[in-house]
């Protein structure tokens, strides 16, 4: 059996779920540097689905694709430690300021370079924007079907994949011919932990940029073990049209950002004593707030 | 200027609430811009569907009626809407931020290479000056949404591309009938001209849509819990109070992520938006994305051990204490002093 070729799209995101007080600068803007950078949670769900297919269908390969600054290579390493086969980092200053449309353009070019593939899988959405747009937009640009909110891949048979989807108020099972793009819902199983064997094997996996900052003996090691190479793709590597990238390729513009300041309203502060609770409840009942 | 259009969703022959809410908003945007309100509906057996839509002020209703078009599938719906938009070139296009709208709108935005803003909490019309280009854009759609985990509120615009697309969650906008006698025009689309054969490659094998049993949105009293509730078991107290007061239980995203409560009860920007008479926030710190879903409540009571919790700043009453102490006292007083 030849297995399937799967591309997993993953994003490194600031952990917006744990925004502490130091995450805001004195001038009220977000201090991204103070937020830990993590593997977008639903992309991990997607990676797990891909790895399960790899377990089930021998010969299947899982390739990670991410876009971001140099440090986003961490995402590729994290994926390799859990069982992915290789990874590509799309990185170039010219991508800065890209909205979802410009981002999906860059990712679709990279995915086309990896053709032929059977599946592209990614999380439903990333926690820094919660837009859920990049997956469907990549699918449209490659002109393949999309199946969103996947919770379980039931089977692949005769070139068709059967997927259970999690909808707002229910579930749906669909069958779709490959290739296609699947976005995975957070209700799908969590990703497996790092595997000790892969951790050792890929400990020194690095991008070319990272390698150049390394020692001589490391470069020698890489010649011996080409699988340690995390490949980087720039705008030129993707033969991308720059008018579709970065700020110029982004139809949405941020007009104004304002730091959240809670509207000051005098709250009546109460303790939890019997008397205070009784008075409050009495007032709520009298004012028909309850009852 | 061209019109405002709303993509309307249908479930079991009924237009869903969020679409009617968007028509109400679309009508007011159209009035501000002095243009007409359009709607597009795609499905099967749509005879008479206009009766549900005209009262919300729809001037032009585009209908694609074909047995293959219901239940919803991405590709045929995307083809029809994209092609229709290319023909009529709407100024603004609104979609519900639902399983369907969030699947469909980005595909269309990509095909038309236009901007799309997800989960807007407010839509306004305004003017924008681009100082670099020395150009003034009049009557733009200001798409306002919390971003970056809710720590900032961003106003997004699409100066150059049309339509200006946005999705909005259910309950964020108000649903209001314009006039029961309002009459629009129905335009039937010839489906074959809008779809491709390969749009029907996906086969729906099985589909279970449950009528939402939990009716948080329309509940007048909501007892809501956050991460500070501490455990799934501790939520029982919230259910007990809700039961006694005749309310519903909701939760913050942190409580849902922690597994204390199910996703369909999530209140906030990425959950349900509510406007109850009374909102009791238990152990909720008050991140802005939660606040976006409940700050229109008539009265807010916060119960939190932390006097500095941001939720206290929008609360009418801030009880500084433990929910394990406070809730039983409320339940006890209410049981004793009513009926």
């Amino acid at each position: 059996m030849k297995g399937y070729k799967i591309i997993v799209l993953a994003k490194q995101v600031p952990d917006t779920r744990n925004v502490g007080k130091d995450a805001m600068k004195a001038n009220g803007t977000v201090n991204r540097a103070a937020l830990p950078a993590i593997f977008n949670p639903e992309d991990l769900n997607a990676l797990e689905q891909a790895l399960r297919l790899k377990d089930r269908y021998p010969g299947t390969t899982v390739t990670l694709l991410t876009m971001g600054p140099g440090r986003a290579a961490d995402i590729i390493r994290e994926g390799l430690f859990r069982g992915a086969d290789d990874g590509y980092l799309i990185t170039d200053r010219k991508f800065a300021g890209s909205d979802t449309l410009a981002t999906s353009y860059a990712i679709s070019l990279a995915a086309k370079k990896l053709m032929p593939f059977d599946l592209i899988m990614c999380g439903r959405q990333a926690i820094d924007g919660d837009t859920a747009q990049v997956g469907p937009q990549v699918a449209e640009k490659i002109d393949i079907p999309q199946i969103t909110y996947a919770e379980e891949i039931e089977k692949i048979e005769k070139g068709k994949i059967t997927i259970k989807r999690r909808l707002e108020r229910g579930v749906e099972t669909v069958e779709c011919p490959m290739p296609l793009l699947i976005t995975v819902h957070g209700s799908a199983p969590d990703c497996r932990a790092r595997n000790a064997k892969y951790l050792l094997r890929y400990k020194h996996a690095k991008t070319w940029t990272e390698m150049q900052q390394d020692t001589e003996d490391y470069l020698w090691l890489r010649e011996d073990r080409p699988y340690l190479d995390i490949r980087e793709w720039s705008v030129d590597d993707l033969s991308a049209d720059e008018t579709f990238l970065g700020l110029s390729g982004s139809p949405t513009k941020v007009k104004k950002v304002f730091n959240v300041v809670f509207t000051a309203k005098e709250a009546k502060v109460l303790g939890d004593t019997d008397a205070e609770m009784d008075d409050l409840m009495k007032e709520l009942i009298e004012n028909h707030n309850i009852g | 200027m061209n019109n405002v259009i709303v993509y309307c969703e249908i479930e079991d022959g009924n237009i869903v609430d969020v679409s009617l809410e968007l028509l109400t908003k679309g009508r007011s945007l159209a009035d501000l811009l002095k243009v007409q309100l359009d709607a597009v509906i795609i499905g099967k057996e749509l005879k008479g569907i206009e009766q549900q839509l005209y009262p919300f002020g729809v001037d032009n209703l585009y209908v694609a009626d074909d047995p293959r078009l219901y239940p919803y599938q991405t590709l045929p719906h995307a083809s029809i809407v994209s092609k229709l938009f290319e023909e009529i070139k709407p100024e603004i296009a609104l979609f519900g931020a639902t399983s369907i709208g969030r699947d469909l709108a980005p595909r269309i935005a990509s095909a038309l290479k236009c901007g799309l803003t997800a989960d807007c909490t407010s839509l306004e019309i305004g003017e924008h000056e681009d100082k670099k280009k020395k150009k003034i854009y009049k009557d733009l759609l200001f798409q306002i949404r919390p971003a970056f985990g809710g720590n900032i509120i961003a106003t997004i615009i699409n100066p150059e591309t049309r339509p200006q697309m946005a999705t909005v969650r259910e309950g964020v906008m108000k649903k209001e009938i314009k006039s029961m006698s309002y009459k629009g025009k129905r335009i039937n689309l010839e489906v074959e001209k809008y779809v491709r054969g390969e749009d029907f490659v996906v086969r729906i094998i099985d589909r279970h849509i449950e009528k939402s049993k939990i009716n948080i949105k329309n509940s007048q009293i909501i007892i809501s819990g956050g991460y500070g509730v501490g455990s799934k078991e501790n939520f029982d107290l919230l259910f007990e109070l809700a039961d006694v007061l005749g309310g519903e239980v909701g939760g913050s995203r942190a409580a849902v992520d922690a597994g204390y409560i199910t996703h369909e009860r999530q209140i906030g920007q990425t959950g349900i938006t509510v406007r109850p008479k009374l909102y009791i926030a238990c152990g909720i710190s008050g991140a802005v994305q939660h606040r976006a879903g409940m700050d229109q409540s008539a009265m807010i009571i916060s119960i939190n051990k932390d006097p500095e919790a941001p939720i206290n700043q929008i609360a009418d009453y801030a009880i500084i204490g433990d929910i394990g102490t406070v809730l039983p006292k409320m339940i006890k007083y209410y049981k004793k002093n009513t009926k």
Side-chain angles (χ1 to χ4, degrees), chain A residues 4-20:
Chain A
Y4 303 100
K5 183 168 169 183
I6 305 176
I7 301 170
V8 173
L9 309 181
K11 185 180 186 187
Q12 189 177 48
V13 292
D15 192 352
T16 54
R17 297 170 306 180
N18 296 305
V19 175

Side-chain angles (χ1 to χ4, degrees), chain A:
Chain A
M1 198 169 168
K2 84 174 202 353
Y4 303 100
K5 183 168 169 183
I6 305 176
I7 301 170
V8 173
L9 309 181
K11 185 180 186 187
Q12 189 177 48
V13 292
D15 192 352
T16 54
R17 297 170 306 180
N18 296 305
V19 175
K21 286 203 170 91
D22 58 339
M24 287 298 179
K25 292 185 201 161
N27 65 3
T29 58
V30 180
N31 181 13
R32 284 180 183 248
L35 294 172
I38 58 165
F39 202 118
N40 178 51
E42 285 185 326
D43 294 340
L44 276 174
N45 296 109
L47 175 61
E48 175 60 25
Q49 289 300 317
L51 294 174
R52 285 183 182 204
L53 291 174
K54 184 179 166 178
D55 294 343
R56 213 156 121 192
Y57 302 101
T60 295
T61 58
V62 175
T63 298
L64 282 153
L65 186 57
T66 190
M67 175 165 152
R71 67 170 180 166
D74 284 343
I75 292 300
I76 309 271
R77 275 186 287 274
E78 196 56 56
L80 294 170
F81 296 159
R82 293 169 196 246
D85 296 274
D86 57 356
Y88 294 81
L89 169 65
I90 308 172
T91 188
D92 200 312
R93 275 165 208 268
K94 288 172 186 157
F95 293 121
S98 293
D99 70 359
T100 65
L101 193 74
T103 301
S104 64
Y105 171 68
I107 292 175
S108 69
L109 291 179
K112 281 180 189 166
K113 243 175 117 85
L114 294 169
M115 271 180 175
F117 54 80
D118 298 292
L119 290 173
I120 300 179
M121 304 180 84
C122 59
R124 173 186 55 143
Q125 61 193 40
I127 57 169
D128 55 345
D130 285 329
T131 70
Q133 290 172 4
V134 169
Q137 291 182 330
V138 168
E140 193 280 333
K141 297 210 180 303
I142 306 176
D143 198 16
I144 54 174
Q146 71 199 42
I147 301 294
T148 47
Y149 328 126
E151 192 172 65
E152 195 190 335
I153 311 283
E154 291 186 352
K155 61 177 179 193
I156 303 178
E157 230 171 58
K158 293 178 188 147
K160 288 185 175 179
I161 187 162
T162 307
I163 301 166
K164 190 172 117 195
R165 304 175 68 209
R166 168 62 49 186
L167 307 176
E168 279 157 319
R169 285 202 277 269
V171 290
E172 188 179 82
T173 306
V174 298
E175 182 194 79
C176 183
M178 299 191 292
L180 78 158
L181 181 143
I182 300 170
T183 80
V184 178
H185 194 272
S187 60
D190 287 340
C191 192
R192 62 195 64 187
R194 295 169 172 187
N195 175 307
K197 191 178 83 189
Y198 298 136
L199 200 55
L200 283 175
R201 179 177 161 95
Y202 292 111
K203 201 167 74 178
H204 295 294
K206 287 191 165 53
T207 61
W208 177 241
T209 312
E210 287 171 325
M211 281 176 215
Q212 286 172 317
Q213 294 154 2
D214 250 298
T215 54
E216 281 295 318
D217 20 349
Y218 180 72
L219 281 172
W220 175 83
L221 182 73
R222 178 205 172 214
E223 262 173 41
D224 219 26
R225 301 176 195 168
Y227 58 83
L228 292 179
D229 191 10
I230 297 174
R231 276 145 296 178
E232 289 170 296
W233 277 343
S234 66
V235 166
D236 291 341
D237 293 324
L238 296 177
S239 318
D241 180 341
E242 285 185 34
T243 56
F244 294 129
L245 294 173
L247 282 173
S248 66
S250 300
T252 58
K253 312 281 177 208
V254 178
K255 175 171 171 60
K256 192 171 72 181
V257 164
F258 103 102
N259 183 28
V260 170
V261 186
F262 289 96
T263 36
K265 182 165 87 172
E266 278 301 292
K268 203 165 163 184
V269 179
L270 305 173
D272 60 3
T273 63
D274 286 357
E276 281 168 298
M277 285 302 98
D278 287 357
D279 284 349
L280 172 66
M281 291 301 282
K282 186 163 172 259
E283 198 180 320
L284 293 177
I285 294 169
E286 279 174 6
N287 293 338
H288 301 285
N289 296 109
I290 53 176

Side-chain angles (χ1 to χ4, degrees), chain B residues 63-207:
Chain B
V63 182
D65 190 344
D66 185 298
R68 295 171 297 171
L69 297 175
Y70 185 89
Y72 167 84
Q73 281 192 33
T74 312
L75 297 177
H77 282 235
S79 287
I80 293 169
V81 177
S82 302
K83 212 163 206 174
L84 178 67
F85 284 7
E86 277 169 6
E87 287 168 13
I88 64 173
K89 303 200 185 324
E91 185 67 18
I92 292 171
L94 306 177
F95 295 76
T98 58
S99 300
I100 292 176
R102 283 163 65 87
D103 177 82
L104 176 66
R107 188 127 189 153
I108 294 164
S110 175
L112 302 178
K113 297 189 176 56
C114 63
L116 166 65
T117 306
D119 298 343
C120 296
T121 51
S122 177
L123 297 171
E124 292 165 15
I125 299 293
E127 189 180 279
H128 173 68
E129 185 186 355
D130 188 325
K131 290 194 172 111
K132 263 188 229 151
K133 288 185 184 162
K134 294 201 175 100
K135 196 168 167 188
I136 290 176
Y137 297 86
K138 283 198 183 343
D139 295 331
L140 281 184
L141 182 68
F142 284 11
Q143 303 148 50
I144 299 157
R145 77 182 299 252
F148 214 72
N151 298 287
I152 55 177
I153 304 274
T155 301
I156 315 284
I157 50 172
N158 320 345
E160 302 286 353
T161 56
R162 294 292 178 275
Q164 304 165 82
M165 290 177 61
T167 70
V168 179
R169 283 192 180 259
E170 182 176 341
V172 171
M173 303 295 174
K174 271 192 201 138
K175 173 174 101 179
E176 225 166 62
I177 286 176
K178 183 173 170 69
S179 155
M180 283 315 287
S181 57
Y182 200 92
K183 280 281 167 292
K185 191 170 74 180
R186 175 173 168 139
I187 301 124
N188 291 311
L189 302 176
E190 204 179 314
V191 174
E192 286 312 320
K193 286 190 180 158
Y194 288 82
V195 294
R196 311 176 293 179
E198 62 262 37
D199 286 342
F200 295 95
V201 292
V202 176
R203 191 165 69 89
I204 299 174
I205 297 172
D206 194 23
R207 192 165 181 267

